[in-house]
Amino acid sequence: MCGIVGYVGSEDAAEFLIDGLRRLEYRGYDSAGVAIVCEDDIAVTRSVGRIQSLADRLGTPPPGTLGLGHTRWATHGPATEENAHPHIGGDGEVVLVHNGVIENYQILKDGLIEKGYHFKSATDSEVIAHLVAEGLSNTPAIEDQPHARYVTAVQWAIAQLRGTYGLAIVFRDKPGFMIAARFGSPLVIGVGRGEYFVASDASPIAGRTDRIVYLADHQLAVLTADGFSVLHRDSGKVRVNIQPLEADSGEVSMNGYDHYMLKEIYEQPDALRNAMRGRLNDQDATAVFGGLNLTPQQLRGVERIILTGCGTSWHSALVGEYMIEELARIPVCVEYASELRYRNPPIENNTLVFGITQSGETADTLAALNETKRKGHRTLAICNVVGSSIAQASDGGVYLHAGPEIGVASTKAFTSQCCVLAMLALYFGRMRHMSFETGGRIIEDLRRLPATIEQALTCDAEVRRVAEKYQSATNVLYLGRRYNFPTALEGALKLKEISYIHAEGYPAAEMKHGPIALVDADTPSIFIMPRGTTYDKVLSNMEEVKARGGPVIAIASSDDTEIRKIADDVIMIPEAPEFLQPIVSVIPLQLLSYHIAVLRGCDVDKPRNLAKSVTVE
Ligand code: F6R
């Protein structure tokens, strides 16, 4: 969702701001803006639409070595220039950018209007700008403490906010000085030499410096070109943990692919290798995790697991449920994070709660984990983004190491999450009844997986042909059973989010209980049916659709020659054990939605209305 960049140093700020905003484009946005602090003024430029329109409007940017930038994904008020950030407080003495949502903005706004402040936008963010200006007007300067007045004004303002914020603030009368603050919306600081970068995630900073600070909730950073310090909102300085920044800027380029999504689909064999690196232990025929932060005794005592997440991550949770129940025999329950956070279900002692998330910033997943943690349960994260809010808030967890996922439609995060869940199933299974031999066989299966995915990717040309045939469909059904039921949901989600075709995923046998009414000559049904326990059953479901004149596409095992006699189109995938099939069978589904979206002229990496990190409820 919204993105923040900021620069303080000795170079022209505009170059970093525009480049940084481009790198944040993947998060999803509908307008953007920058503020550059010049001699005794702050030049603010805003524009609706893409960063290129902002760059065009900026023309030759004003010189200035301090500045802020923002991409906005509309929440309060439509996507207009007035609502775009940066927002100006008071008579122009404060300029800020804000990520997050302020829940009590209306009451604060009413109070500020009474005091004579004029609002130019419909946003909750402008309230913060005026509030800081009001704070400044009430705070006298303190001799020998040049920053104190500004810090006090910001502390006073943010203490009144209810909701979430990531903020970067500059002041007309204090050139070369910036304050950044965070609560519930991520903010990082890139530590350079004589220059500092602020951003809502590490991607704008990658390649500029290799040192990063992840601000924690309630922290506030004070930055000048000569140094920075971090304070707690209500108290004094805190010790800063400067961490190495691993990602280099090359990782976020498209490497010759037409879209990030396609690049990320093709990165899956390597992403899986990275997810497994150092985590498979042949000697004990089990998996090894360094970050669970629980003793073997605590893990052995786990009697139930809750897996929670949103969207694609919720789909991988469903795959995880099947894996863990089958291989480790521990009862698993899968919850939408948005429901779990308010549902207040009874949770027994010895329940372990995993939040599954690519970004580590999804507001509902974070809130669901915080709520279960508050009740005293152990919360762990399966997460891709290092240092993200969920990684910080949980008791421990497992990183995916999939590398940055830029395309809004999640691909390599899904398969990496499934792979981590398979390793967790092995780990918990080996703690209980699973034999050494079975553990060893699962390790072999997992090791073969990256090569299997490489082979699965060779279906690309065939998938493109199928995409051409069905690109004009307006409804598509995705059907699968057992491990391939979540794959059906994921295939349908991929298609609808990037090609805007209505699609539904169902357990294949459920079809007869309603969805079959949709079947007609214009509604293709995609059956995910590699060989396995329910193959014959799914074949019967396919016959039922055929009998009603519906076109059928089969995602089938490469040795299944018979299927061609029934299905209109067949996409072959390589063999894999049933518990790993979702990781293989999702490949043609990802490619199918990609090709259909391209053929329909859709913006594959930045689909309409969607954001990469959903940081609001
Ligand atoms: C779909 C997609 C979304 C995300 C969901 C959760 O392709 O990307 O459905 O899966 O918004 O995001 P994370 O995994 O970052 O918590």
Side-chain angles (χ1 to χ4, degrees):
M1 282 188 162
C2 308
I4 287 178
V5 286
Y7 177 84
V8 49
S10 53
E11 302 291 322
D12 269 350
E15 188 275 325
F16 169 73
L17 299 181
I18 294 294
D19 179 62
L21 290 180
R22 284 193 208 282
R23 294 199 201 181
L24 288 174
E25 281 192 298
Y26 76 94
R27 292 167 71 101
Y29 70 105
D30 38 46
S31 54
V34 291
I36 295 171
V37 184
C38 315
E39 296 258 293
D40 51 3
D41 195 16
I42 304 179
V44 174
T45 311
R46 293 181 284 228
S47 144
V48 174
R50 295 288 178 225
I51 301 301
Q52 191 51 48
S53 10
L54 176 69
D56 292 345
R57 177 164 291 193
L58 201 57
T60 309
T65 57
L66 173 70
L68 306 171
H70 190 264
T71 47
R72 173 174 188 256
W73 188 86
T75 55
H76 295 66
T80 60
E81 209 172 304
E82 295 72 40
N83 290 337
H85 301 217
H87 286 291
I88 299 169
D91 293 325
E93 59 267 35
V94 175
V95 172
L96 61 75
V97 290
H98 166 230
N99 281 1
V101 172
I102 303 305
E103 288 157 10
N104 59 338
Y105 84 100
Q106 193 58 56
I107 194 161
L108 293 170
K109 187 170 178 173
D110 293 345
L112 287 160
I113 289 171
E114 258 176 43
K115 287 190 170 122
Y117 286 89
H118 296 289
F119 281 79
K120 299 190 179 63
S121 77
T123 66
D124 51 344
S125 309
E126 192 182 358
V127 168
I128 314 172
H130 288 310
L131 212 51
V132 175
E134 172 68 6
L136 275 180
S137 72
N138 295 332
T139 314
I142 304 178
E143 220 179 308
D144 298 337
Q145 293 187 38
H147 303 334
R149 176 168 172 248
Y150 299 90
V151 172
T152 307
V154 171
Q155 283 172 322
W156 176 83
I158 59 182
Q160 298 177 65
L161 304 178
R162 231 183 40 231
T164 54
Y165 54 81
L167 287 167
I169 313 171
V170 291
F171 306 87
R172 185 187 54 206
D173 305 328
K174 187 88 181 136
F177 175 80
M178 183 191 299
I179 294 179
R182 168 200 162 133
F183 179 71
S185 187
L187 217 50
V188 301
I189 295 171
V191 181
R193 282 176 221 300
E195 59 181 0
Y196 296 90
F197 309 91
V198 173
S200 43
D201 69 39
S203 51
I205 293 172
R208 304 265 175 178
T209 175
D210 54 6
R211 294 186 304 155
I212 191 165
V213 173
Y214 297 93
L215 282 190
D217 277 348
H218 296 303
Q219 286 185 346
L220 201 129
V222 176
L223 304 115
T224 69
D226 299 327
F228 81 106
S229 55
V230 177
L231 315 170
H232 188 273
R233 188 193 70 183
D234 309 316
S235 50
K237 268 192 189 177
V238 295
R239 242 186 94 235
V240 182
N241 181 13
I242 301 182
Q243 301 186 31
L245 174 59
E246 281 166 17
D248 65 20
S249 49
E251 264 190 290
V252 289
S253 82
M254 280 209 274
N255 276 354
Y257 286 92
D258 288 343
H259 297 94
Y260 281 111
M261 183 182 176
L262 189 62
K263 172 183 172 240
E264 287 155 10
I265 289 174
Y266 273 88
E267 278 173 350
Q268 289 177 104
D270 279 340
L272 292 168
R273 285 184 190 103
N274 290 339
M276 287 187 274
R277 183 159 298 125
R279 288 182 172 153
L280 297 176
N281 174 342
D282 293 293
Q283 204 173 344
D284 296 328
T286 187
V288 187
F289 298 100
L292 296 182
N293 299 338
L294 295 174
T295 63
Q297 288 72 17
Q298 286 170 320
L299 289 162
R300 177 69 186 80
V302 168
E303 285 168 13
R304 177 176 287 277
I305 290 176
I306 295 180
L307 302 175
T308 189
C310 303
T312 289
S313 296
W314 184 79
H315 295 158
S316 63
L318 288 177
V319 174
E321 176 184 28
Y322 285 64
M323 288 170 166
I324 295 170
E325 290 199 339
E326 182 172 339
L327 301 178
R329 310 299 301 156
I330 301 175
V332 177
C333 134
V334 175
E335 296 271 357
Y336 281 115
S338 53
E339 290 298 306
L340 180 59
R341 67 183 291 190
Y342 294 119
R343 207 164 67 78
N344 197 21
I347 302 180
E348 304 91 335
N349 288 339
N350 298 331
T351 300
L352 197 53
V353 183
F354 280 94
I356 306 180
T357 169
Q358 187 287 128
S359 61
E361 301 299 345
T362 303
D364 284 323
T365 310
L366 179 60
L369 285 184
N370 282 339
E371 176 62 9
T372 46
K373 191 171 171 178
R374 193 191 57 74
K375 290 177 177 164
H377 299 287
R378 292 190 185 276
T379 59
L380 299 176
I382 297 175
C383 178
N384 195 30
V385 178
V386 176
S388 55
S389 301
I390 291 173
Q392 289 187 38
S394 43
D395 296 316
V398 187
Y399 279 123
L400 302 179
H401 299 307
E405 190 179 67
I406 306 291
V408 162
S410 187
T411 52
K412 62 177 179 174
F414 174 75
T415 45
S416 299
Q417 287 164 349
C418 293
C419 179
V420 164
L421 287 159
M423 289 189 289
L424 282 169
L426 165 66
Y427 178 72
F428 283 113
R430 284 289 292 136
M431 280 199 149
R432 295 167 172 239
H433 68 281
M434 189 190 286
S435 69
F436 182 87
E437 287 69 30
T438 308
R441 206 195 60 236
I442 289 175
I443 288 184
E444 279 171 28
D445 291 339
L446 283 164
R447 287 224 171 92
R448 269 196 297 274
L449 194 56
T452 308
I453 300 302
E454 267 155 17
Q455 211 184 325
L457 286 163
T458 61
C459 70
D460 198 355
E462 181 59 12
V463 174
R464 162 117 194 160
R465 188 194 63 73
V466 174
E468 278 166 12
K469 185 165 165 191
Y470 295 103
Q471 59 175 297
S472 307
T474 49
N475 278 307
V476 181
L477 290 174
Y478 286 74
L479 302 159
R481 294 191 77 166
R482 289 208 348 125
Y483 284 102
N484 285 306
F485 157 53
T487 327
L489 296 180
E490 177 59 6
L493 179 64
K494 287 288 89 86
L495 187 70
K496 63 186 132 191
E497 67 184 330
I498 61 167
S499 70
Y500 319 139
I501 296 175
H502 176 248
E504 296 281 355
Y506 273 96
E510 273 295 301
M511 190 192 63
K512 291 191 289 295
H513 302 285
I516 200 163
L518 293 172
V519 169
D520 63 17
D522 298 321
T523 304
S525 295
I526 301 179
F527 284 86
I528 303 131
M529 49 185 307
R531 284 202 194 285
T533 326
T534 52
Y535 175 83
D536 290 339
K537 309 276 179 202
V538 181
L539 198 60
S540 309
N541 299 142
M542 181 184 262
E543 297 274 18
E544 287 153 11
V545 171
K546 277 296 288 180
R548 284 155 185 84
V552 296
I553 304 159
I555 311 294
S557 302
S558 48
D559 65 348
D560 189 348
T561 44
E562 286 301 295
I563 194 74
R564 289 199 183 279
K565 295 182 190 151
I566 307 167
D568 296 280
D569 296 278
V570 180
I571 298 165
M572 296 293 191
I573 51 169
E575 286 294 318
E578 278 192 63
F579 76 102
L580 294 178
Q581 275 175 2
I583 304 177
V584 184
S585 57
V586 79
I587 302 291
L589 304 183
Q590 294 170 342
L591 286 167
L592 185 66
S593 40
Y594 171 77
H595 287 304
I596 290 183
V598 171
L599 288 163
R600 290 166 70 102
C602 300
D603 191 345
V604 171
D605 284 332
K606 299 186 230 42
R608 72 182 178 208
N609 303 340
L610 289 178
K612 185 67 183 161
S613 304
V614 184
T615 50
V616 294
E617 272 196 73

